[in-house]
């Protein structure tokens, strides 16, 4: 057993037996991992994905070390507003994944359910609620969430406010995309900026927000270049690299450091050999721990995930001169807002642009957003002649994912892709 594994076991045990004493040890582990990813990056990974992993580790480790430096959020919260005020944004979905690094997800999920949380609540939320409720996870001064994509958000953040006294802003995202909806949401975003300014004692500057949006526009342009280049070049990554990219586009977009990294990746990928395998467009969440998926996608020369809809769930250029309206439009026009048919159209546009050989849709257990519309998407892809596989599992709770089933379905699908190619 390595030193790291021993430390993980030690912290896990401490979190179960003495939750109130385990937080600093957990953060120490994140800090140690931050330095490990900087000084001893994983050798099979491309340089860009190594740097990306390190950047996300730093974000989490550094933010958690200071409770007055960040807000809890859901993945769709407008990190740009926090960014422009020097406040970090940590989504509870991503934090749950980091907590699972200590193999605590089952413990926390059971804790939450025993405390009365409905078993049907999303396992990302249950993991987080259990971590907080059990006394392991310390709370920041504020939280921000949206109604986008999931009605579980309001319940979770309301519960955390009631139990732990963390006040939050709830952004009510209209379903419709029209002027009145944009202005309704833009006003809520202005109020959020005021609230954060008051809570954190930081002055809000609209000019800084404009600058954040300018950087964001540039980053999105570069990201598409990178995705397109992934069609041509082999750029070894892991399934978890897509999760890190998702963190980047949702928690760090608008920062110069993330833009610099994507620019680096655009240059770096062109130094790698040509990619001759199958290009996969991934839909929804990434079960980064799943053995079969790691086996087929980590560092693979045969199958490369070129992009994920959750990584690039908004594709338009934003107007920096009207920052609040632009952010409102970004949230309203997010691929995950509105009907599933609209989502299918947007994934179709993404597929037209990136030309994947296949689409894999991972349906997270209990997520209506994913399983509810996956067949609509499958039909849409069929019209485009793109084969699509639907995989069922759980992005975080291993007990709800059956690797054997995933293996059988994935292997049959990949075989089909190979056969189709031979027949063409
Ligand atoms: S995975 Fe689905 S259920 Fe869970 S938070 Fe996201 S949208 Fe909600």
């Amino acid at each position: 057993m390595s030193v790291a594994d021993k430390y993980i076991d030690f912290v896990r045990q401490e979190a179960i037996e003495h939750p109130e004493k385990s937080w600093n040890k957990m953060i120490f582990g994140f800090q140690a991992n931050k330095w490990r990813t900087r000084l001893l990056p994983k050798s099979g990974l491309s340089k860009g994905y190594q740097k990306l992993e390190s950047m996300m580790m730093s974000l989490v480790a550094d933010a958690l070390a200071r409770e007055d430096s960040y807000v809890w959020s859901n993945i769709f919260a407008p990190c740009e507003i926090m960014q422009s005020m020097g406040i970090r944004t940590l989504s509870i979905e991503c934090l749950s994944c980091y907590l699972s690094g200590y193999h605590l997800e089952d413990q926390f999920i059971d804790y939450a359910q025993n405390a009365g949380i409905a078993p049907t609540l999303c396992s990302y939320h249950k993991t987080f609620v259990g971590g907080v409720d059990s006394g392991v996870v310390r709370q920041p001064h504020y939280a921000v969430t949206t109604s986008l994509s999931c009605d579980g958000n309001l319940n979770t953040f309301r519960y955390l406010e009631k139990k732990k006294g963390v006040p939050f802003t709830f952004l009510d995202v209209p379903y419709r995309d029209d002027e009145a909806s944009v202005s309704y949401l833009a006003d809520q975003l202005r109020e959020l900026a005021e609230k954060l300014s008051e809570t954190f004692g930081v002055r809000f500057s609209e000019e800084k927000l404009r600058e954040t949006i300018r950087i964001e526009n540039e980053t999105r342009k570069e990201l598409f270049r990178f995705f397109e280049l992934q069609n041509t070049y082999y750029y070894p990554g892991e399934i978890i690299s897509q999760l890190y990219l998702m963190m980047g586009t949702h928690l760090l977009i608008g920062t110069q450091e993330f833009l610099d990294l994507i620019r680096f990746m655009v240059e770096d990928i062109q130094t790698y050999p040509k990619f001759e395998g199958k290009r996969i467009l991934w839909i929804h969440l990434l079960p980064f721990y799943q053995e079969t998926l790691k086996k087929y996608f980590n560092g693979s020369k045969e199958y490369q995930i070129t992009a994920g809809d959750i990584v690039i769930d908004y594709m338009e250029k934003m107007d920096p001169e009207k920052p609040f309206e632009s952010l409102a439009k970004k949230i309203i026009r997010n691929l995950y807002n509105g009907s599933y048919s609209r989502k299918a159209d947007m994934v179709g546009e993404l597929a037209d642009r990136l030309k994947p050989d296949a689409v894999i849709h991972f349906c997270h257990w209990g997520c209506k957003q994913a399983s509810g519309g996956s067949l609509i998407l499958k039909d849409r892809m069929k019209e485009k002649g793109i084969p699509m596989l639907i995989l069922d599992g759980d992005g975080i709770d291993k007990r709800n994912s059956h690797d054997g089933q995933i293996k059988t379905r994935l292997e049959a699908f990949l075989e089909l892709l190979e056969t189709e190619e031979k027949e063409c």
Side-chain angles (χ1 to χ4, degrees):
M1 198 187 241
S2 69
V3 178
D5 286 336
K6 279 188 190 155
Y7 189 74
I8 287 170
D9 271 3
F10 163 69
V11 175
R12 180 177 194 279
Q13 220 38 48
E14 187 81 342
I16 294 168
E17 287 165 14
H18 309 287
E20 67 297 340
K21 290 187 189 165
S22 61
W23 186 235
N24 289 340
K25 296 179 180 96
M26 207 173 253
I27 293 178
F28 178 79
F30 290 144
Q31 291 284 358
N33 207 16
K34 172 181 100 174
W35 288 107
R36 199 262 317 147
T37 55
R38 279 188 198 173
L39 303 172
L40 298 166
K42 284 184 202 151
S43 56
L45 278 184
S46 55
K47 285 193 212 98
Y49 283 134
Q50 287 174 356
K51 284 174 185 280
L52 178 69
E53 178 174 10
S54 176
M55 187 180 282
M56 295 313 140
M57 215 49 243
S58 302
L59 167 69
V60 172
D62 295 345
L64 290 181
R66 275 195 44 211
E67 280 132 34
D68 59 352
S69 73
Y70 69 97
V71 294
W72 281 338
S73 72
N74 79 326
I75 196 73
F76 302 110
C79 70
E80 297 89 341
I81 295 180
M82 282 65 93
Q83 212 85 264
S84 71
M85 300 169 87
I87 302 163
R88 293 187 180 98
T89 309
L90 292 183
S91 94
I92 63 168
E93 300 93 336
C94 295
L95 282 177
S96 294
C97 295
Y98 277 80
L99 296 174
S100 79
Y102 287 104
H103 309 305
L104 278 161
E105 69 286 352
D106 50 354
Q107 179 71 24
F108 289 159
I109 288 170
D110 291 348
Y111 193 101
Q113 288 182 181
N114 291 337
I117 296 291
T120 47
L121 183 71
C122 174
S123 43
Y124 288 94
H125 285 236
K126 279 189 294 192
T127 302
F128 195 71
V129 166
V132 176
D133 246 1
S134 63
V136 172
V137 177
R138 294 223 190 113
Q139 54 266 37
H141 298 328
Y142 207 70
V144 183
T145 192
T146 69
S147 59
L148 205 161
S149 171
C150 184
D151 50 10
N153 285 310
L154 180 57
N155 296 336
T156 299
F157 282 82
R158 208 181 254 158
Y159 181 87
L160 294 171
E161 179 178 51
K162 198 166 147 213
K163 290 291 288 274
K164 297 289 167 180
V166 183
F168 71 104
T169 289
F170 176 70
L171 298 168
D172 179 26
V173 180
Y175 219 54
R176 291 163 65 115
D177 176 9
D178 53 29
E179 233 174 85
S181 302
V182 170
S183 136
Y184 170 66
L185 185 54
D187 286 346
Q188 295 179 60
L189 295 171
R190 282 189 188 91
E191 276 172 37
L192 168 65
E194 273 169 34
K195 193 75 207 170
L196 290 168
S197 176
E198 195 184 301
T199 308
F200 287 85
V202 190
R203 199 178 68 84
F204 169 72
S205 149
E206 199 163 309
E207 181 43 37
K208 277 195 185 156
L209 184 57
R210 285 193 202 106
E211 182 54 19
T212 303
I213 289 176
R214 280 182 210 114
I215 295 174
E216 173 164 353
N217 281 334
E218 193 55 27
T219 310
R220 198 169 287 109
K221 202 172 84 195
E222 293 292 321
L223 259 172
F224 267 107
R225 280 188 70 200
F226 175 70
F227 294 145
E228 280 157 4
L229 285 164
Q230 281 211 113
N231 274 347
T232 309
Y233 296 96
Y234 168 57
Y235 204 56
E238 296 182 335
I239 192 149
I240 202 168
S241 309
Q242 296 296 318
L243 178 77
Y244 292 136
L245 257 186
M246 182 199 75
M247 286 177 70
T249 56
H250 291 81
L251 309 179
L252 281 182
I253 197 139
T255 61
Q256 188 64 43
E257 63 163 341
F258 189 58
L259 171 58
D260 290 345
L261 172 66
I262 302 301
R263 280 182 174 151
F264 170 82
M265 289 166 83
V266 165
E267 292 303 315
D268 192 46
I269 192 172
Q270 297 177 66
T271 66
Y272 279 75
K274 290 267 187 271
F275 179 66
E276 311 283 356
K278 301 283 181 207
R279 297 148 183 96
I280 309 288
L281 176 61
W282 195 272
I283 305 298
H284 210 204
L285 300 167
L286 298 134
F288 53 91
Y289 64 84
Q290 203 78 49
E291 286 309 320
T292 294
L293 298 177
K294 287 202 286 190
K295 181 179 153 211
Y296 279 95
F297 294 109
N298 285 8
S300 170
K301 286 189 173 150
E302 292 169 311
Y303 309 104
Q304 181 154 277
I305 300 175
T306 49
D309 73 326
I310 191 107
V311 174
I312 191 79
D313 49 11
Y314 179 75
M315 300 166 215
E316 295 170 35
K317 192 170 177 202
M318 298 162 76
D319 178 2
E321 296 315 310
K322 292 183 180 165
F324 289 107
E325 281 72 16
S326 297
L327 284 172
K329 275 187 197 158
K330 179 187 167 189
I331 299 172
I332 290 171
R333 294 182 186 170
N334 186 292
L335 186 145
Y336 281 83
N337 193 36
S339 69
Y340 202 93
S341 169
R342 182 179 164 271
K343 172 178 171 167
D345 289 343
M346 287 180 78
V347 173
E349 281 168 33
L350 203 53
D352 289 343
R353 193 159 174 184
L354 299 177
K355 304 191 175 21
D357 296 299
V359 169
I360 297 183
H361 189 318
F362 182 76
C363 289
H364 173 68
W365 186 86
C367 178
K368 294 178 221 93
Q369 173 62 241
S371 46
S374 53
L375 290 176
I376 299 177
L377 185 61
K378 193 167 183 172
D379 284 346
R380 203 62 59 88
M381 292 301 115
K382 200 172 170 192
E383 286 161 21
K384 290 183 181 292
I386 305 172
M388 177 172 137
L389 171 70
I390 299 172
L391 287 178
D392 294 308
D394 193 303
I396 189 160
D397 188 353
K398 300 179 182 74
R399 298 168 299 183
N400 286 333
S401 258
H402 302 286
D403 199 62
Q405 277 175 24
I406 288 179
K407 185 170 186 284
T408 310
R409 305 208 57 219
L410 181 71
E411 286 178 352
F413 181 71
L414 297 178
E415 206 172 298
L416 185 91
L417 288 184
E418 300 302 336
T419 319
E420 276 183 356
E421 190 183 50
K422 277 183 206 140
E423 283 171 2
C424 286

